[in-house]
Amino acid sequence: MIAAGVRVGALQAGLPLDPLENRILLCHALGLSRVGLITQSEREISAAEASALEALIERRLGGEPIAYIVGKREFFGLDFRVTDAVLIPRPDTELLVELALDRLPPGGRALDMGTGSGAIAVAIAHTRPDASVSALDVSEAALAVARSNAAAHGAAVRFMHSDWYGAVAGEVFELIVSNPPYIADGDIHLSQGDLRFEPSGALTDHADGLSALRTIIAGAPAHLVRQGWLLMEHGYDQAAAVRQLLAEQGFSEVQSWLDLAGIERVTGGRTR
Ligand code: GLN
């Protein structure tokens, strides 16, 4: 029970989460920035603020991801709005953005398949205003979040409601990127931590974990220019299988890259 009248500075130390999460929720409940929390440390909290903070802490103690509670997460140096209609952007996915930026030629066309919050597409478009960035998702609710993120960052992204390549028939791109659902049906991780609260359609293919990756790889040659790149994020144990699928489709320069934890996390290849 958080009491009204407690000073902001004294309150912070007494909250039950880890220090970073305590601070994030305190800032959110009081509408303060990190600096505001320090400059207003002598302020006493009101009854309304106490109950608002208590409600946020209860949600976190119930396991809800902090990004959903505060409605945002930083990715590639940009704040992204997130709701439970979209996967929470992960730092590992910044690797995919960096690899894409290195390979997108000036004025190039990029396609992000299964954009979710729009994190990948918006990060690319924000960094490279010269590029034509398109992004698709099968979820209208996700597209609404993605559109608001593009607008917030002034990123020109063309969004499409599409079941994989459905909406881009006849179009070609210099680069295709995707962080598709790649967790196998029934994987233990789906019942742990933040994943319990994220949209299952963004996490799992409800099959062996490779079915979305297979669909993306099979359709890519028809949607890439010559020497175009396909880059995909995948699970910790899927790199060899994804390289094999790319090789079978005739891709060249097939290779995998390591994430921050040293795990093969992104695999890609180039059309001939
Ligand atoms: N990287 C996420 C996780 O394992 C999964 C994201 C995805 O399926 N694309 O937490």
Side-chain angles (χ1 to χ4, degrees):
M1 187 66 197
I2 298 164
V6 178
R7 289 182 208 285
V8 169
L11 183 59
Q12 200 177 351
L15 299 176
L17 306 172
D18 73 51
L20 177 65
E21 296 192 347
N22 286 338
R23 193 186 74 213
I24 292 171
L25 293 188
L26 190 55
C27 286
H28 191 66
L30 303 184
L32 292 175
S33 66
R34 213 175 142 173
V35 173
L37 206 57
I38 297 163
T39 58
Q40 299 199 27
S41 68
E42 291 304 308
R43 174 154 90 73
E44 295 176 1
I45 65 161
S46 69
E49 287 170 338
S51 65
L53 177 60
E54 194 154 298
L56 298 178
I57 288 178
E58 284 303 321
R59 286 169 65 184
R60 183 63 189 134
L61 290 174
E64 198 175 330
I66 201 112
Y68 289 159
I69 298 173
V70 301
K72 63 182 180 183
R73 171 56 49 91
E74 189 185 311
F75 177 81
F76 217 75
L78 302 171
D79 258 343
F80 283 87
R81 183 165 86 84
V82 294
T83 70
D84 63 7
V86 300
L87 197 75
I88 300 164
R90 310 282 203 268
D92 292 331
T93 307
E94 294 178 348
L95 168 65
L96 185 60
V97 173
E98 277 159 12
L99 292 166
L101 290 170
D102 286 348
R103 284 162 184 76
L104 185 62
R109 293 159 288 182
L111 173 65
D112 176 20
M113 303 191 70
T115 196
S117 67
I120 296 168
V122 171
I124 293 173
H126 184 263
T127 312
R128 290 283 302 277
D130 61 290
S132 301
V133 181
S134 302
L136 52 86
D137 206 287
V138 73
S139 161
E140 289 279 17
L143 286 168
V145 175
R147 283 195 180 95
S148 74
N149 281 319
H153 296 299
V157 178
R158 174 181 62 140
F159 289 103
M160 289 165 286
H161 183 225
S162 183
D163 187 5
W164 300 124
Y165 294 101
V168 291
E171 288 189 50
V172 291
F173 302 87
E174 275 72 31
L175 173 83
I176 297 175
V177 287
S178 185
N179 175 17
Y182 54 68
I183 301 178
D185 192 41
D187 187 300
I188 183 82
H189 296 99
L190 294 170
S191 54
Q192 295 172 351
D194 286 1
L195 279 69
R196 293 169 296 166
F197 293 83
E198 293 181 293
S200 73
L203 290 167
T204 175
D205 61 351
H206 305 287
D208 67 349
L210 289 167
S211 64
L213 291 157
R214 268 189 215 102
T215 301
I216 292 164
I217 293 168
H223 294 283
L224 283 169
V225 299
R226 290 179 68 135
Q227 307 267 286
W229 279 95
L230 170 60
L231 299 166
M232 295 154 292
E233 180 174 322
H234 52 69
Y236 68 96
D237 57 356
Q238 293 172 326
V242 175
R243 286 194 299 269
Q244 166 93 30
L245 289 166
L246 285 166
E248 284 167 11
Q249 279 293 328
F251 278 84
S252 65
E253 299 182 50
V254 172
Q255 58 202 289
S256 300
W257 293 269
L258 306 179
D259 67 14
L260 303 166
I263 294 166
E264 289 181 324
R265 179 63 65 186
V266 174
T267 293
R270 208 168 186 191
T271 51
R272 293 177 195 273

